[in-house]
PDB file of all heavy atoms in Angstrom:
ATOM      1  N   SER A   1     -81.256 -48.132 -80.681  1.00 98.00           N
ATOM      2  CA  SER A   1     -81.021 -46.889 -79.953  1.00 98.00           C
ATOM      3  C   SER A   1     -79.778 -47.047 -79.086  1.00 98.00           C
ATOM      4  O   SER A   1     -79.482 -48.143 -78.593  1.00 98.00           O
ATOM      5  CB  SER A   1     -82.229 -46.519 -79.087  1.00 98.00           C
ATOM      6  OG  SER A   1     -82.473 -47.495 -78.100  1.00 98.00           O
ATOM      7  N   TYR A   2     -79.051 -45.937 -78.905  1.00 98.00           N
ATOM      8  CA  TYR A   2     -77.794 -45.938 -78.163  1.00 98.00           C
ATOM      9  C   TYR A   2     -77.717 -44.679 -77.305  1.00 98.00           C
ATOM     10  O   TYR A   2     -78.260 -43.629 -77.672  1.00 98.00           O
ATOM     11  CB  TYR A   2     -76.602 -45.962 -79.125  1.00 98.00           C
ATOM     12  CG  TYR A   2     -76.631 -47.090 -80.117  1.00 98.00           C
ATOM     13  CD1 TYR A   2     -77.263 -46.936 -81.358  1.00 98.00           C
ATOM     14  CD2 TYR A   2     -76.043 -48.321 -79.835  1.00 98.00           C
ATOM     15  CE1 TYR A   2     -77.296 -47.973 -82.282  1.00 98.00           C
ATOM     16  CE2 TYR A   2     -76.071 -49.367 -80.760  1.00 98.00           C
ATOM     17  CZ  TYR A   2     -76.701 -49.185 -81.978  1.00 98.00           C
ATOM     18  OH  TYR A   2     -76.740 -50.207 -82.902  1.00 98.00           O
ATOM     19  N   ASP A   3     -77.011 -44.771 -76.196  1.00 98.00           N
ATOM     20  CA  ASP A   3     -76.801 -43.602 -75.350  1.00 98.00           C
ATOM     21  C   ASP A   3     -75.861 -42.625 -76.051  1.00 98.00           C
ATOM     22  O   ASP A   3     -74.849 -43.019 -76.636  1.00 98.00           O
ATOM     23  CB  ASP A   3     -76.187 -44.001 -74.009  1.00 98.00           C
ATOM     24  CG  ASP A   3     -77.150 -44.803 -73.142  1.00 98.00           C
ATOM     25  OD1 ASP A   3     -78.373 -44.660 -73.338  1.00 98.00           O
ATOM     26  OD2 ASP A   3     -76.677 -45.554 -72.275  1.00 98.00           O
ATOM     27  N   SER A   4     -76.197 -41.351 -75.978  1.00 98.00           N
ATOM     28  CA  SER A   4     -75.335 -40.325 -76.575  1.00 98.00           C
ATOM     29  C   SER A   4     -74.105 -40.102 -75.704  1.00 98.00           C
ATOM     30  O   SER A   4     -74.219 -39.967 -74.481  1.00 98.00           O
ATOM     31  CB  SER A   4     -76.102 -39.010 -76.695  1.00 98.00           C
ATOM     32  OG  SER A   4     -75.229 -37.952 -77.021  1.00 98.00           O
ATOM     33  N   PRO A   5     -72.913 -40.036 -76.303  1.00 98.00           N
ATOM     34  CA  PRO A   5     -71.733 -39.659 -75.521  1.00 98.00           C
ATOM     35  C   PRO A   5     -71.819 -38.193 -75.125  1.00 98.00           C
ATOM     36  O   PRO A   5     -72.457 -37.385 -75.808  1.00 98.00           O
ATOM     37  CB  PRO A   5     -70.575 -39.905 -76.488  1.00 98.00           C
ATOM     38  CG  PRO A   5     -71.180 -39.717 -77.839  1.00 98.00           C
ATOM     39  CD  PRO A   5     -72.586 -40.227 -77.737  1.00 98.00           C
ATOM     40  N   GLY A   6     -71.187 -37.840 -74.017  1.00 97.00           N
ATOM     41  CA  GLY A   6     -71.070 -36.438 -73.632  1.00 97.00           C
ATOM     42  C   GLY A   6     -72.332 -35.781 -73.139  1.00 97.00           C
ATOM     43  O   GLY A   6     -72.401 -34.542 -73.071  1.00 97.00           O
ATOM     44  N   SER A   7     -73.344 -36.561 -72.765  1.00 97.00           N
ATOM     45  CA  SER A   7     -74.601 -35.971 -72.313  1.00 97.00           C
ATOM     46  C   SER A   7     -74.415 -35.222 -70.998  1.00 97.00           C
ATOM     47  O   SER A   7     -73.526 -35.529 -70.201  1.00 97.00           O
ATOM     48  CB  SER A   7     -75.655 -37.060 -72.127  1.00 97.00           C
ATOM     49  OG  SER A   7     -75.963 -37.671 -73.350  1.00 97.00           O
ATOM     50  N   GLY A   8     -75.283 -34.255 -70.766  1.00 96.00           N
ATOM     51  CA  GLY A   8     -75.227 -33.497 -69.523  1.00 96.00           C
ATOM     52  C   GLY A   8     -75.958 -32.185 -69.673  1.00 96.00           C
ATOM     53  O   GLY A   8     -76.756 -31.998 -70.603  1.00 96.00           O
ATOM     54  N   VAL A   9     -75.690 -31.264 -68.782  1.00 95.00           N
ATOM     55  CA  VAL A   9     -76.318 -29.947 -68.794  1.00 95.00           C
ATOM     56  C   VAL A   9     -75.379 -28.961 -69.471  1.00 95.00           C
ATOM     57  O   VAL A   9     -74.178 -28.934 -69.182  1.00 95.00           O
ATOM     58  CB  VAL A   9     -76.635 -29.483 -67.359  1.00 95.00           C
ATOM     59  CG1 VAL A   9     -77.206 -28.069 -67.361  1.00 95.00           C
ATOM     60  CG2 VAL A   9     -77.620 -30.444 -66.706  1.00 95.00           C
ATOM     61  N   VAL A  10     -75.913 -28.151 -70.384  1.00 94.00           N
ATOM     62  CA  VAL A  10     -75.083 -27.199 -71.114  1.00 94.00           C
ATOM     63  C   VAL A  10     -74.563 -26.108 -70.179  1.00 94.00           C
ATOM     64  O   VAL A  10     -75.147 -25.851 -69.122  1.00 94.00           O
ATOM     65  CB  VAL A  10     -75.853 -26.577 -72.289  1.00 94.00           C
ATOM     66  CG1 VAL A  10     -76.239 -27.641 -73.299  1.00 94.00           C
ATOM     67  CG2 VAL A  10     -77.090 -25.822 -71.798  1.00 94.00           C
ATOM     68  N   LYS A  11     -73.486 -25.457 -70.601  1.00 91.00           N
ATOM     69  CA  LYS A  11     -72.820 -24.475 -69.746  1.00 91.00           C
ATOM     70  C   LYS A  11     -73.459 -23.094 -69.796  1.00 91.00           C
ATOM     71  O   LYS A  11     -73.370 -22.322 -68.857  1.00 91.00           O
ATOM     72  CB  LYS A  11     -71.332 -24.353 -70.149  1.00 91.00           C
ATOM     73  CG  LYS A  11     -70.571 -25.683 -70.191  1.00 91.00           C
ATOM     74  CD  LYS A  11     -70.569 -26.389 -68.857  1.00 91.00           C
ATOM     75  CE  LYS A  11     -69.646 -27.607 -68.871  1.00 91.00           C
ATOM     76  NZ  LYS A  11     -70.116 -28.678 -69.777  1.00 91.00           N
ATOM     77  N   TRP A  12     -74.059 -22.729 -70.940  1.00 89.00           N
ATOM     78  CA  TRP A  12     -74.587 -21.374 -71.054  1.00 89.00           C
ATOM     79  C   TRP A  12     -75.940 -21.247 -70.355  1.00 89.00           C
ATOM     80  O   TRP A  12     -76.652 -22.241 -70.146  1.00 89.00           O
ATOM     81  CB  TRP A  12     -74.712 -20.963 -72.522  1.00 89.00           C
ATOM     82  CG  TRP A  12     -75.767 -21.724 -73.268  1.00 89.00           C
ATOM     83  CD1 TRP A  12     -77.103 -21.464 -73.331  1.00 89.00           C
ATOM     84  CD2 TRP A  12     -75.573 -22.900 -74.071  1.00 89.00           C
ATOM     85  NE1 TRP A  12     -77.743 -22.383 -74.111  1.00 89.00           N
ATOM     86  CE2 TRP A  12     -76.837 -23.270 -74.576  1.00 89.00           C
ATOM     87  CE3 TRP A  12     -74.444 -23.659 -74.408  1.00 89.00           C
ATOM     88  CZ2 TRP A  12     -76.999 -24.380 -75.403  1.00 89.00           C
ATOM     89  CZ3 TRP A  12     -74.619 -24.754 -75.226  1.00 89.00           C
ATOM     90  CH2 TRP A  12     -75.878 -25.105 -75.712  1.00 89.00           C
ATOM     91  N   THR A  13     -76.300 -20.008 -70.011  1.00 87.00           N
ATOM     92  CA  THR A  13     -77.597 -19.756 -69.372  1.00 87.00           C
ATOM     93  C   THR A  13     -78.537 -18.965 -70.274  1.00 87.00           C
ATOM     94  O   THR A  13     -79.747 -19.037 -70.111  1.00 87.00           O
ATOM     95  CB  THR A  13     -77.404 -18.979 -68.059  1.00 87.00           C
ATOM     96  OG1 THR A  13     -76.709 -17.756 -68.316  1.00 87.00           O
ATOM     97  CG2 THR A  13     -76.622 -19.820 -67.049  1.00 87.00           C
ATOM     98  N   GLN A  14     -77.985 -18.192 -71.219  1.00 89.00           N
ATOM     99  CA  GLN A  14     -78.799 -17.421 -72.143  1.00 89.00           C
ATOM    100  C   GLN A  14     -78.350 -17.710 -73.567  1.00 89.00           C
ATOM    101  O   GLN A  14     -77.386 -17.118 -74.054  1.00 89.00           O
ATOM    102  CB  GLN A  14     -78.671 -15.913 -71.860  1.00 89.00           C
ATOM    103  CG  GLN A  14     -79.344 -15.455 -70.577  1.00 89.00           C
ATOM    104  CD  GLN A  14     -80.860 -15.335 -70.730  1.00 89.00           C
ATOM    105  OE1 GLN A  14     -81.461 -15.922 -71.631  1.00 89.00           O
ATOM    106  NE2 GLN A  14     -81.480 -14.583 -69.852  1.00 89.00           N
ATOM    107  N   PRO A  15     -79.008 -18.649 -74.275  1.00 93.00           N
ATOM    108  CA  PRO A  15     -78.597 -18.944 -75.652  1.00 93.00           C
ATOM    109  C   PRO A  15     -78.880 -17.771 -76.576  1.00 93.00           C
ATOM    110  O   PRO A  15     -79.798 -16.973 -76.348  1.00 93.00           O
ATOM    111  CB  PRO A  15     -79.456 -20.158 -76.008  1.00 93.00           C
ATOM    112  CG  PRO A  15     -80.668 -20.031 -75.144  1.00 93.00           C
ATOM    113  CD  PRO A  15     -80.182 -19.429 -73.856  1.00 93.00           C
ATOM    114  N   ARG A  16     -78.080 -17.656 -77.615  1.00 96.00           N
ATOM    115  CA  ARG A  16     -78.294 -16.621 -78.623  1.00 96.00           C
ATOM    116  C   ARG A  16     -79.638 -16.844 -79.293  1.00 96.00           C
ATOM    117  O   ARG A  16     -80.007 -17.973 -79.614  1.00 96.00           O
ATOM    118  CB  ARG A  16     -77.168 -16.667 -79.655  1.00 96.00           C
ATOM    119  CG  ARG A  16     -77.191 -15.512 -80.662  1.00 96.00           C
ATOM    120  CD  ARG A  16     -76.103 -15.692 -81.695  1.00 96.00           C
ATOM    121  NE  ARG A  16     -76.021 -14.535 -82.561  1.00 96.00           N
ATOM    122  CZ  ARG A  16     -75.092 -13.588 -82.470  1.00 96.00           C
ATOM    123  NH1 ARG A  16     -74.154 -13.692 -81.550  1.00 96.00           N
ATOM    124  NH2 ARG A  16     -75.082 -12.561 -83.297  1.00 96.00           N
ATOM    125  N   ARG A  17     -80.378 -15.771 -79.525  1.00 95.00           N
ATOM    126  CA  ARG A  17     -81.689 -15.836 -80.168  1.00 95.00           C
ATOM    127  C   ARG A  17     -81.585 -15.502 -81.650  1.00 95.00           C
ATOM    128  O   ARG A  17     -80.739 -14.697 -82.064  1.00 95.00           O
ATOM    129  CB  ARG A  17     -82.667 -14.867 -79.505  1.00 95.00           C
ATOM    130  CG  ARG A  17     -83.179 -15.323 -78.156  1.00 95.00           C
ATOM    131  CD  ARG A  17     -84.058 -14.247 -77.516  1.00 95.00           C
ATOM    132  NE  ARG A  17     -85.108 -13.773 -78.395  1.00 95.00           N
ATOM    133  CZ  ARG A  17     -86.283 -14.393 -78.595  1.00 95.00           C
ATOM    134  NH1 ARG A  17     -86.538 -15.525 -77.955  1.00 95.00           N
ATOM    135  NH2 ARG A  17     -87.197 -13.888 -79.418  1.00 95.00           N
ATOM    136  N   SER A  18     -82.458 -16.117 -82.421  1.00 97.00           N
ATOM    137  CA  SER A  18     -82.524 -15.813 -83.843  1.00 97.00           C
ATOM    138  C   SER A  18     -83.061 -14.407 -84.058  1.00 97.00           C
ATOM    139  O   SER A  18     -84.015 -13.983 -83.393  1.00 97.00           O
ATOM    140  CB  SER A  18     -83.435 -16.811 -84.554  1.00 97.00           C
ATOM    141  OG  SER A  18     -83.724 -16.380 -85.872  1.00 97.00           O
ATOM    142  N   PRO A  19     -82.496 -13.664 -85.018  1.00 96.00           N
ATOM    143  CA  PRO A  19     -83.061 -12.346 -85.343  1.00 96.00           C
ATOM    144  C   PRO A  19     -84.441 -12.455 -85.994  1.00 96.00           C
ATOM    145  O   PRO A  19     -85.156 -11.456 -86.088  1.00 96.00           O
ATOM    146  CB  PRO A  19     -82.036 -11.749 -86.306  1.00 96.00           C
ATOM    147  CG  PRO A  19     -81.370 -12.933 -86.927  1.00 96.00           C
ATOM    148  CD  PRO A  19     -81.314 -13.972 -85.844  1.00 96.00           C
ATOM    149  N   LEU A  20     -84.810 -13.654 -86.442  1.00 96.00           N
ATOM    150  CA  LEU A  20     -86.119 -13.864 -87.058  1.00 96.00           C
ATOM    151  C   LEU A  20     -87.184 -14.236 -86.039  1.00 96.00           C
ATOM    152  O   LEU A  20     -88.373 -14.275 -86.367  1.00 96.00           O
ATOM    153  CB  LEU A  20     -86.032 -14.981 -88.110  1.00 96.00           C
ATOM    154  CG  LEU A  20     -84.987 -14.807 -89.210  1.00 96.00           C
ATOM    155  CD1 LEU A  20     -85.078 -15.955 -90.211  1.00 96.00           C
ATOM    156  CD2 LEU A  20     -85.126 -13.471 -89.908  1.00 96.00           C
ATOM    157  N   ALA A  21     -86.779 -14.526 -84.811  1.00 94.00           N
ATOM    158  CA  ALA A  21     -87.734 -14.929 -83.781  1.00 94.00           C
ATOM    159  C   ALA A  21     -88.484 -13.709 -83.252  1.00 94.00           C
ATOM    160  O   ALA A  21     -87.903 -12.626 -83.115  1.00 94.00           O
ATOM    161  CB  ALA A  21     -87.012 -15.629 -82.633  1.00 94.00           C
ATOM    162  N   PRO A  22     -89.780 -13.848 -82.949  1.00 90.00           N
ATOM    163  CA  PRO A  22     -90.501 -12.713 -82.357  1.00 90.00           C
ATOM    164  C   PRO A  22     -89.929 -12.390 -80.984  1.00 90.00           C
ATOM    165  O   PRO A  22     -89.452 -13.287 -80.278  1.00 90.00           O
ATOM    166  CB  PRO A  22     -91.944 -13.228 -82.262  1.00 90.00           C
ATOM    167  CG  PRO A  22     -91.825 -14.712 -82.267  1.00 90.00           C
ATOM    168  CD  PRO A  22     -90.631 -15.024 -83.110  1.00 90.00           C
ATOM    169  N   PRO A  23     -89.926 -11.139 -80.597  1.00 86.00           N
ATOM    170  CA  PRO A  23     -89.376 -10.793 -79.284  1.00 86.00           C
ATOM    171  C   PRO A  23     -90.203 -11.431 -78.171  1.00 86.00           C
ATOM    172  O   PRO A  23     -91.422 -11.586 -78.300  1.00 86.00           O
ATOM    173  CB  PRO A  23     -89.479  -9.261 -79.250  1.00 86.00           C
ATOM    174  CG  PRO A  23     -90.532  -8.921 -80.253  1.00 86.00           C
ATOM    175  CD  PRO A  23     -90.456  -9.973 -81.313  1.00 86.00           C
ATOM    176  N   PRO A  24     -89.566 -11.832 -77.070  1.00 80.00           N
ATOM    177  CA  PRO A  24     -90.318 -12.414 -75.962  1.00 80.00           C
ATOM    178  C   PRO A  24     -91.257 -11.377 -75.359  1.00 80.00           C
ATOM    179  O   PRO A  24     -90.971 -10.172 -75.355  1.00 80.00           O
ATOM    180  CB  PRO A  24     -89.235 -12.833 -74.966  1.00 80.00           C
ATOM    181  CG  PRO A  24     -88.044 -12.003 -75.316  1.00 80.00           C
ATOM    182  CD  PRO A  24     -88.123 -11.758 -76.790  1.00 80.00           C
ATOM    183  N   SER A  25     -92.373 -11.851 -74.858  1.00 75.00           N
ATOM    184  CA  SER A  25     -93.361 -10.930 -74.294  1.00 75.00           C
ATOM    185  C   SER A  25     -92.882 -10.288 -73.002  1.00 75.00           C
ATOM    186  O   SER A  25     -93.355  -9.233 -72.604  1.00 75.00           O
ATOM    187  CB  SER A  25     -94.684 -11.671 -74.039  1.00 75.00           C
ATOM    188  OG  SER A  25     -94.461 -12.800 -73.211  1.00 75.00           O
ATOM    189  N   ALA A  26     -91.922 -10.951 -72.340  1.00 67.00           N
ATOM    190  CA  ALA A  26     -91.357 -10.419 -71.104  1.00 67.00           C
ATOM    191  C   ALA A  26     -89.899 -10.856 -71.040  1.00 67.00           C
ATOM    192  O   ALA A  26     -89.519 -11.857 -71.644  1.00 67.00           O
ATOM    193  CB  ALA A  26     -92.133 -10.917 -69.889  1.00 67.00           C
ATOM    194  N   PRO A  27     -89.059 -10.111 -70.327  1.00 66.00           N
ATOM    195  CA  PRO A  27     -87.662 -10.537 -70.184  1.00 66.00           C
ATOM    196  C   PRO A  27     -87.559 -11.946 -69.636  1.00 66.00           C
ATOM    197  O   PRO A  27     -88.288 -12.322 -68.716  1.00 66.00           O
ATOM    198  CB  PRO A  27     -87.081  -9.515 -69.201  1.00 66.00           C
ATOM    199  CG  PRO A  27     -87.978  -8.322 -69.331  1.00 66.00           C
ATOM    200  CD  PRO A  27     -89.345  -8.867 -69.629  1.00 66.00           C
ATOM    201  N   GLN A  28     -86.667 -12.747 -70.246  1.00 63.00           N
ATOM    202  CA  GLN A  28     -86.519 -14.139 -69.848  1.00 63.00           C
ATOM    203  C   GLN A  28     -85.359 -14.283 -68.865  1.00 63.00           C
ATOM    204  O   GLN A  28     -84.208 -13.969 -69.205  1.00 63.00           O
ATOM    205  CB  GLN A  28     -86.257 -15.019 -71.076  1.00 63.00           C
ATOM    206  CG  GLN A  28     -87.361 -14.954 -72.118  1.00 63.00           C
ATOM    207  CD  GLN A  28     -88.682 -15.446 -71.583  1.00 63.00           C
ATOM    208  OE1 GLN A  28     -88.775 -16.580 -71.106  1.00 63.00           O
ATOM    209  NE2 GLN A  28     -89.701 -14.606 -71.646  1.00 63.00           N
ATOM    210  N   PRO A  29     -85.630 -14.738 -67.625  1.00 62.00           N
ATOM    211  CA  PRO A  29     -84.540 -14.922 -66.671  1.00 62.00           C
ATOM    212  C   PRO A  29     -83.649 -16.080 -67.075  1.00 62.00           C
ATOM    213  O   PRO A  29     -84.097 -17.047 -67.711  1.00 62.00           O
ATOM    214  CB  PRO A  29     -85.264 -15.227 -65.352  1.00 62.00           C
ATOM    215  CG  PRO A  29     -86.575 -15.832 -65.791  1.00 62.00           C
ATOM    216  CD  PRO A  29     -86.937 -15.124 -67.068  1.00 62.00           C
ATOM    217  N   ALA A  30     -82.377 -15.978 -66.750  1.00 62.00           N
ATOM    218  CA  ALA A  30     -81.452 -17.069 -67.023  1.00 62.00           C
ATOM    219  C   ALA A  30     -81.811 -18.262 -66.152  1.00 62.00           C
ATOM    220  O   ALA A  30     -82.091 -18.122 -64.957  1.00 62.00           O
ATOM    221  CB  ALA A  30     -80.022 -16.630 -66.747  1.00 62.00           C
ATOM    222  N   ALA A  31     -81.822 -19.465 -66.765  1.00 57.00           N
ATOM    223  CA  ALA A  31     -82.156 -20.675 -66.016  1.00 57.00           C
ATOM    224  C   ALA A  31     -80.955 -21.121 -65.190  1.00 57.00           C
ATOM    225  O   ALA A  31     -79.821 -21.091 -65.657  1.00 57.00           O
ATOM    226  CB  ALA A  31     -82.580 -21.781 -66.978  1.00 57.00           C
ATOM    227  N   SER A  32     -81.213 -21.528 -63.962  1.00 55.00           N
ATOM    228  CA  SER A  32     -80.141 -22.055 -63.129  1.00 55.00           C
ATOM    229  C   SER A  32     -79.782 -23.457 -63.607  1.00 55.00           C
ATOM    230  O   SER A  32     -80.611 -24.135 -64.240  1.00 55.00           O
ATOM    231  CB  SER A  32     -80.591 -22.121 -61.670  1.00 55.00           C
ATOM    232  OG  SER A  32     -81.619 -23.074 -61.512  1.00 55.00           O
ATOM    233  N   PRO A  33     -78.544 -23.926 -63.339  1.00 56.00           N
ATOM    234  CA  PRO A  33     -78.162 -25.274 -63.768  1.00 56.00           C
ATOM    235  C   PRO A  33     -79.130 -26.344 -63.275  1.00 56.00           C
ATOM    236  O   PRO A  33     -79.395 -27.317 -63.987  1.00 56.00           O
ATOM    237  CB  PRO A  33     -76.771 -25.452 -63.156  1.00 56.00           C
ATOM    238  CG  PRO A  33     -76.241 -24.066 -63.049  1.00 56.00           C
ATOM    239  CD  PRO A  33     -77.425 -23.206 -62.711  1.00 56.00           C
ATOM    240  N   ALA A  34     -79.681 -26.167 -62.083  1.00 49.00           N
ATOM    241  CA  ALA A  34     -80.591 -27.176 -61.533  1.00 49.00           C
ATOM    242  C   ALA A  34     -81.892 -27.267 -62.318  1.00 49.00           C
ATOM    243  O   ALA A  34     -82.559 -28.298 -62.310  1.00 49.00           O
ATOM    244  CB  ALA A  34     -80.890 -26.864 -60.070  1.00 49.00           C
ATOM    245  N   ARG A  35     -82.252 -26.173 -63.026  1.00 53.00           N
ATOM    246  CA  ARG A  35     -83.524 -26.153 -63.747  1.00 53.00           C
ATOM    247  C   ARG A  35     -83.356 -26.453 -65.227  1.00 53.00           C
ATOM    248  O   ARG A  35     -84.351 -26.556 -65.942  1.00 53.00           O
ATOM    249  CB  ARG A  35     -84.189 -24.787 -63.570  1.00 53.00           C
ATOM    250  CG  ARG A  35     -84.607 -24.485 -62.130  1.00 53.00           C
ATOM    251  CD  ARG A  35     -85.307 -23.147 -62.049  1.00 53.00           C
ATOM    252  NE  ARG A  35     -86.512 -23.137 -62.881  1.00 53.00           N
ATOM    253  CZ  ARG A  35     -87.219 -22.032 -63.123  1.00 53.00           C
ATOM    254  NH1 ARG A  35     -86.835 -20.878 -62.641  1.00 53.00           N
ATOM    255  NH2 ARG A  35     -88.302 -22.091 -63.875  1.00 53.00           N
ATOM    256  N   ARG A  36     -82.126 -26.562 -65.699  1.00 70.00           N
ATOM    257  CA  ARG A  36     -81.916 -26.847 -67.112  1.00 70.00           C
ATOM    258  C   ARG A  36     -81.878 -28.344 -67.357  1.00 70.00           C
ATOM    259  O   ARG A  36     -81.291 -29.101 -66.594  1.00 70.00           O
ATOM    260  CB  ARG A  36     -80.609 -26.207 -67.577  1.00 70.00           C
ATOM    261  CG  ARG A  36     -80.726 -24.706 -67.804  1.00 70.00           C
ATOM    262  CD  ARG A  36     -79.422 -24.106 -68.264  1.00 70.00           C
ATOM    263  NE  ARG A  36     -78.597 -23.716 -67.127  1.00 70.00           N
ATOM    264  CZ  ARG A  36     -77.282 -23.741 -67.133  1.00 70.00           C
ATOM    265  NH1 ARG A  36     -76.628 -24.177 -68.196  1.00 70.00           N
ATOM    266  NH2 ARG A  36     -76.602 -23.352 -66.080  1.00 70.00           N
TER     267      ARG A  36
END
């Protein structure tokens, strides 16, 4: 096992959803960087 280069927290807050995914039961708030 090896450490992955470039690890960290991603920049986006709302990733694109698949059109095949069922709709969320409630609106999903954007996650803050501290919670991602």
Side-chain angles (χ1 to χ4, degrees):
S1 63
Y2 306 90
D3 292 335
S4 169
S7 296
V9 176
V10 297
K11 307 300 188 294
W12 68 84
T13 57
Q14 289 282 20
R16 187 184 186 103
R17 285 175 52 82
S18 168
L20 305 183
S25 55
Q28 301 298 303
S32 67
R35 295 182 60 189
R36 283 180 272 148

